[in-house]
Amino acid sequence: QVQLVESGGGLVQPGGSLRLSCAGSGAMLRVYAMGWYRQGPGKQREFIALMTRTGVTNYADSVKGRFTISMNNAENTVALQMNTLKPEDTAVYYCHARRSGLSQNEFWGQGTQVTVST
């Protein structure tokens, strides 16, 4: 099984920065991509950023130029550096992992709250 644990959320003022991290454990060998989603108040969960183990990245248009995803393959961790935060970035941020194989191949963390407010 795969377990994902996020950390780094909190309260920040508009224009500030936060760095989220996610530690993967368990059956991570066949995990080929990790990323981040978020769910704001009254909104659906939306894709934010993805990174494969080969270094391919993808970002939602709303965060391009402000957020940066990174991965440490050896440690099975992924981070999200969030700069120039806006109130509309307020959401619960979830770590996500995708795994190949016939068993369960999609995993989610518990989520960490990010609040951007004065």
Side-chain angles (χ1 to χ4, degrees), residues 24-74:
S25 62
M28 294 290 293
L29 184 62
R30 297 194 303 276
V31 169
Y32 64 89
M34 297 179 70
W36 296 89
Y37 289 68
R38 70 185 182 189
Q39 186 168 16
K43 300 179 180 179
Q44 298 184 53
R45 187 173 297 187
E46 64 175 336
F47 166 79
I48 297 299
L50 174 74
M51 189 170 189
T52 71
R53 289 195 184 275
T54 58
V56 178
T57 60
N58 190 24
Y59 295 91
D61 288 341
S62 60
V63 305
K64 286 181 179 177
R66 299 189 298 122
F67 292 10
T68 302
I69 190 170
S70 60
M71 178 183 292
N72 187 316
N73 281 318

Side-chain angles (χ1 to χ4, degrees), residues 7-8 11 23 32 58 68 72 85 88-89 98 102 115:
S7 62
L11 175 64
Y32 64 89
N58 190 24
T68 302
N72 187 316
L85 284 161
E88 51 262 44
D89 294 319
R98 297 176 183 176
L102 299 177
T115 302

Side-chain angles (χ1 to χ4, degrees), residues 2-9 19-25 28 31 33-37 69-73 75-81 93-97 107-112:
V2 169
Q3 184 178 26
L4 305 173
V5 180
E6 304 98 334
S7 62
R19 183 178 176 87
L20 306 181
S21 63
C22 173
S25 62
M28 294 290 293
V31 169
M34 297 179 70
W36 296 89
Y37 289 68
I69 190 170
S70 60
M71 178 183 292
N72 187 316
N73 281 318
E75 297 182 356
N76 292 313
T77 59
V78 65
L80 186 70
Q81 179 66 46
Y93 284 71
Y94 296 91
C95 184
H96 179 246
F107 302 90
W108 297 91
Q110 295 272 47
T112 185

